[in-house]
Amino acid sequence: MKSKIALLAVSLLTMACTAQTKDTLAEKVLVYQLPNGGWGKHLENKSTVNYDLPLSKELTRTIKETGDDHATIDNQATTKEINILINAYQTTKNPSYLKSAEKGIAYLLQMQYKNGGFPQYYPNKSLYRKQITYNDNAMINALTVLYNVAEGKNGFDVVDEKLKVKSKLAVQKGIDCILKTQILQKEKLTIWGDQYNEITLVPEKARAFEPVSLASAESVYIVKFLMMQPVTPEIERAVKSAIQWFMQNKIEGYSYAVTKENGKSVRRLTPEKNSVIWSRFYDVNDNHSLFGDRDGSVKYNYNDVSEERRNGYSWYVDSPQKLIDKDFPKWLEKNKLAE
């Protein structure tokens, strides 16, 4: 009798331990993973990937009908899922999560161009999807995952050693691409554009309202990524040049915020004495603020942008201020560098 009770106790304990190896979010992420190892931001029926939704039979069928052409690093797709799985593995030790994350890491390595850049989508090469894409931090998100893999940081120490070696090389190639794509004005380094031709590394436009430009928001994260790396003369020059450009091109005396008016989100550019902001886009030749519109036109005045695009896109940012005031001084001090 005692032996039966003991066996029952062991069985119950085993069941409990097995149950603990499951993570609800991670289980959904496994289902959404595409055959090539990446994840999409949309499904075959154009609906947005939403992990809050229960996996009904209909939704599961739609997920399974979604092919590799939807795999992307846009809107944090793929990089977000890899991080979710690594975090879940740390808690549960479920080998399925680590295996899936490693497949996602292999996808990132596969999609990288030989010149170190990353397209927005892979293998989908239509329209602007094949361009090297800093927009919305796509390439930097991918490189950050690979950096964590290479260095064994933030839980990524569990990743297969072969992937660590490949990731280290991929990060170095990515840094080389970043340094090559920092835009020159009269032999003076500035910041970076949103998108580049994947072969010539020349800045290009993407969506109709995203013109060829210097992109302030994305450049902040590029600089932060460079600050994570061992300092070389090239990296030091790139960081200091970008900081100098930010300091010279700030817009003082204005604030930019989203408010609710009659139930709609409205973006307002408002005079404010002590506020500092930067335009999202600047002309690559003369640093004038740029604004795009749905019809592909380029505007030089915020108020000339159509109401739909004026309120449907973020045209100013304040993130360079923290970069200048906090991150840059810390980086100089840490690396014993002169300003």
Side-chain angles (χ1 to χ4, degrees), residues 255-296:
S255 64
Y256 181 68
V258 181
T259 60
K260 285 287 185 181
E261 297 180 16
N262 298 321
K264 294 182 179 180
S265 294
V266 178
R267 298 179 189 269
R268 295 287 186 198
L269 180 64
T270 309
E272 189 173 323
K273 186 178 179 180
N274 297 317
S275 182
V276 177
I277 57 174
W278 283 258
S279 288
R280 176 74 178 268
F281 299 135
Y282 289 82
D283 190 290
V284 295
N285 297 308
D286 57 22
N287 298 325
H288 280 106
S289 296
L290 286 184
F291 309 91
D293 224 324
R294 286 287 188 190
D295 60 2

Side-chain angles (χ1 to χ4, degrees), residues 152-193:
K153 294 187 174 183
N154 298 313
F156 284 83
D157 55 300
V158 296
V159 172
D160 182 83
E161 286 298 323
K162 291 180 181 178
L163 288 176
K164 288 181 181 179
V165 172
K166 291 180 180 179
S167 294
K168 197 171 189 67
L169 177 60
V171 169
Q172 189 54 58
K173 288 168 59 180
I175 292 170
D176 291 344
C177 181
I178 289 171
L179 296 175
K180 287 177 183 176
T181 52
Q182 191 170 11
I183 294 174
L184 279 169
Q185 286 179 356
K186 298 177 181 178
E187 302 307 311
K188 188 175 182 180
L189 287 173
T190 61
I191 56 173
W192 289 263

Side-chain angles (χ1 to χ4, degrees), residues 42-65:
H42 293 114
L43 299 177
E44 187 66 33
N45 63 0
K46 298 184 179 179
S47 63
T48 302
V49 170
N50 183 355
Y51 291 110
D52 291 332
L53 296 176
L55 287 175
S56 64
K57 287 184 178 180
E58 183 178 351
L59 177 56
T60 302
R61 183 170 60 250
T62 304
I63 293 169
K64 295 304 179 184
E65 290 173 351

Side-chain angles (χ1 to χ4, degrees), residues 198-256:
E198 68 280 6
I199 298 172
T200 65
L201 300 185
V202 172
E204 292 186 337
K205 67 176 294 182
R207 290 177 291 186
F209 52 88
E210 293 170 334
V212 174
S213 62
L214 299 169
S216 61
E218 285 74 11
S219 292
V220 167
Y221 288 92
I222 293 172
V223 172
K224 285 184 176 182
F225 180 77
L226 290 177
M227 286 177 171
M228 292 163 55
Q229 311 307 318
V231 178
T232 64
E234 294 78 14
I235 287 178
E236 181 180 355
R237 179 175 178 234
V239 169
K240 288 183 175 179
S241 297
I243 293 295
Q244 184 178 31
W245 185 93
F246 278 124
M247 293 175 69
Q248 293 172 344
N249 289 279
K250 59 187 177 181
I251 301 170
E252 298 179 293
Y254 284 89
S255 64
Y256 181 68

Side-chain angles (χ1 to χ4, degrees), residues 30-210:
L30 294 181
V31 175
Y32 275 92
Q33 189 169 30
L34 297 169
N36 67 358
W39 283 264
K41 62 176 184 175
H42 293 114
L43 299 177
E44 187 66 33
N45 63 0
K46 298 184 179 179
S47 63
T48 302
V49 170
N50 183 355
Y51 291 110
D52 291 332
L53 296 176
L55 287 175
S56 64
K57 287 184 178 180
E58 183 178 351
L59 177 56
T60 302
R61 183 170 60 250
T62 304
I63 293 169
K64 295 304 179 184
E65 290 173 351
T66 303
D68 285 343
D69 265 3
H70 290 271
T72 181
I73 55 172
D74 190 32
N75 289 10
Q76 299 183 54
T78 300
T79 56
K80 172 182 66 182
E81 282 83 1
I82 292 171
N83 283 310
I84 287 171
L85 290 166
I86 289 295
N87 288 334
Y89 178 76
Q90 295 301 316
T91 304
T92 66
K93 303 303 178 187
N94 187 325
S96 297
Y97 303 156
L98 179 57
K99 183 179 179 181
S100 179
E102 289 179 334
K103 188 176 180 181
I105 292 163
Y107 167 78
L108 294 181
L109 292 168
Q110 184 180 18
M111 78 184 303
Q112 186 181 31
Y113 290 126
K114 290 181 179 179
N115 59 23
F118 283 77
Q120 188 183 64
Y121 280 71
Y122 179 82
N124 189 337
K125 295 183 178 181
S126 61
L127 302 173
Y128 52 82
R129 292 180 175 89
K130 61 184 178 179
Q131 292 173 338
I132 292 173
T133 305
Y134 294 119
N135 197 11
D136 292 333
N137 306 318
M139 176 166 157
I140 295 303
N141 287 339
L143 282 174
T144 300
V145 167
L146 296 177
Y147 171 78
N148 284 331
V149 174
E151 301 299 322
K153 294 187 174 183
N154 298 313
F156 284 83
D157 55 300
V158 296
V159 172
D160 182 83
E161 286 298 323
K162 291 180 181 178
L163 288 176
K164 288 181 181 179
V165 172
K166 291 180 180 179
S167 294
K168 197 171 189 67
L169 177 60
V171 169
Q172 189 54 58
K173 288 168 59 180
I175 292 170
D176 291 344
C177 181
I178 289 171
L179 296 175
K180 287 177 183 176
T181 52
Q182 191 170 11
I183 294 174
L184 279 169
Q185 286 179 356
K186 298 177 181 178
E187 302 307 311
K188 188 175 182 180
L189 287 173
T190 61
I191 56 173
W192 289 263
D194 257 344
Q195 296 87 209
Y196 291 77
N197 183 280
E198 68 280 6
I199 298 172
T200 65
L201 300 185
V202 172
E204 292 186 337
K205 67 176 294 182
R207 290 177 291 186
F209 52 88
E210 293 170 334

